[in-house]
């Protein structure tokens, strides 16, 4: 069995824009595993490009189109606590749209600490190259691996569906290391 997982990364050389939050919005306003602040009425503006299904922003968080949200929802397991909060995005050139902040209320331990690569020492040590433990992720097709990353990890099934539905504009799907596979 060939089991693969991919991290979604923003392609910095593509023509997709950046969602820009209001000036009074703190940069780390959507930290996974923590409650969200009230984001009622926050309106983003798209700059430097066009819409894509998975958008980068100048604040923390994952922003997805309605179509990608529906696809992701179909792969989330009932035990996974993920919410999608609608946000208004404005664009004079492309029209206004609703996007969804994808927020994980719980972050699971999915890392194989022995095979991941680190920088730093002791409590200041940070993972630079994660390695996932299949025994910890085998029941998930979509997950994150830390509280502060805006990256998202998807299974081969999800990646294929995204490609089939042409939802990969502006992103790279980078294969990740995984141990204990059957």
């Amino acid at each position: 069995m060939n089991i693969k997982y991919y991290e979604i990364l923003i392609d910095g050389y593509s023509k997709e824009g950046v969602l820009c939050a209001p000036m009074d919005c703190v940069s780390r306003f959507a930290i996974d595993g923590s409650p969200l602040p009230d984001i009622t009425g926050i309106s983003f503006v798209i700059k430097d490009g066009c819409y894509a299904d998975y958008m980068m922003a100048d604040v923390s968080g994952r922003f997805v189109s309605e179509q990608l949200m529906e696809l992701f929802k179909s792969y989330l397991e009932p035990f996974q606590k993920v919410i999608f909060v609608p946000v208004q995005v404005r664009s004079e050139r492309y029209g206004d749209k609703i996007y969804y902040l994808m927020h994980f209320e719980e972050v699971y331990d999915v890392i194989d600490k022995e095979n991941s690569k680190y920088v730093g020492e002791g409590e200041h040590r940070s993972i630079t190259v994660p390695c996932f433990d299949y025994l910890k992720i085998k029941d998930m097709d979509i997950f994150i691996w830390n509280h502060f990353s805006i990256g998202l990890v998807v299974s081969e099934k999800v990646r294929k569906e995204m490609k089939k539905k042409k939802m990969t504009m502006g992103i790279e799907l980078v294969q990740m290391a995984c141990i204990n596979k059957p």
Side-chain angles (χ1 to χ4, degrees):
M1 185 186 300
N2 194 7
I3 298 168
K4 296 179 183 175
Y5 289 89
Y6 300 85
E7 186 166 21
I8 297 175
L9 301 175
I10 300 297
D11 177 359
Y13 297 102
S14 68
K15 61 183 182 229
E16 289 64 47
V18 175
L19 301 184
C20 296
M23 294 299 289
D24 61 345
C25 193
V26 296
S27 63
R28 286 216 166 285
F29 86 111
I31 298 173
D32 291 300
S34 299
L36 280 174
D38 180 15
I39 60 172
T40 306
I42 290 181
S43 182
F44 288 79
V45 175
I46 190 168
K47 291 187 180 175
D48 302 325
C50 61
Y51 287 111
D53 287 295
Y54 192 93
M55 296 291 299
M56 180 173 70
D58 63 353
V59 293
S60 62
R62 281 162 226 87
F63 296 87
V64 298
S65 68
E66 183 173 3
Q67 295 82 3
L68 191 54
M69 174 188 69
E70 293 302 330
L71 183 132
F72 285 167
K73 279 183 173 181
S74 72
Y75 284 98
L76 288 167
E77 294 298 327
F79 69 87
Q80 290 182 282
K81 295 180 173 108
V82 180
I83 59 173
F84 292 88
V85 180
V87 294
Q88 179 72 44
V89 180
R90 302 195 183 286
S91 170
E92 287 183 27
R93 183 172 183 184
Y94 300 105
D96 297 350
K97 288 190 177 191
I98 300 293
Y99 266 72
Y100 295 85
L101 169 63
M102 182 180 187
H103 183 70
F104 286 77
E105 293 181 311
E106 192 169 334
V107 180
Y108 299 99
D109 175 20
V110 297
I111 297 294
D112 174 73
K113 292 173 177 56
E114 194 173 303
N115 290 292
S116 294
K117 295 188 179 11
Y118 298 86
V119 65
E121 298 288 329
E123 65 183 56
H124 300 291
R125 186 169 91 154
S126 296
I127 296 175
T128 55
V129 181
C131 178
F132 303 121
D133 183 339
Y134 178 74
L135 300 175
K136 296 177 179 181
I137 62 175
K138 63 184 170 74
D139 296 325
M140 295 186 280
D141 284 303
I142 299 173
F143 60 91
I144 58 173
W145 60 273
N146 73 36
H147 297 275
F148 300 106
S149 172
I150 60 166
L152 182 69
V153 180
V154 298
S155 68
E156 178 74 12
K157 288 189 295 190
V158 176
R159 183 188 78 89
K160 283 183 178 178
E161 189 78 14
M162 289 173 70
K163 284 185 161 288
K164 179 179 162 188
K165 293 185 176 187
K166 299 186 182 336
M167 297 179 160
T168 58
M169 184 172 84
I171 61 172
E172 295 181 51
L173 291 142
V174 178
Q175 189 172 339
M176 304 300 288
C178 184
I179 66 156
N180 293 327
K181 295 188 281 189

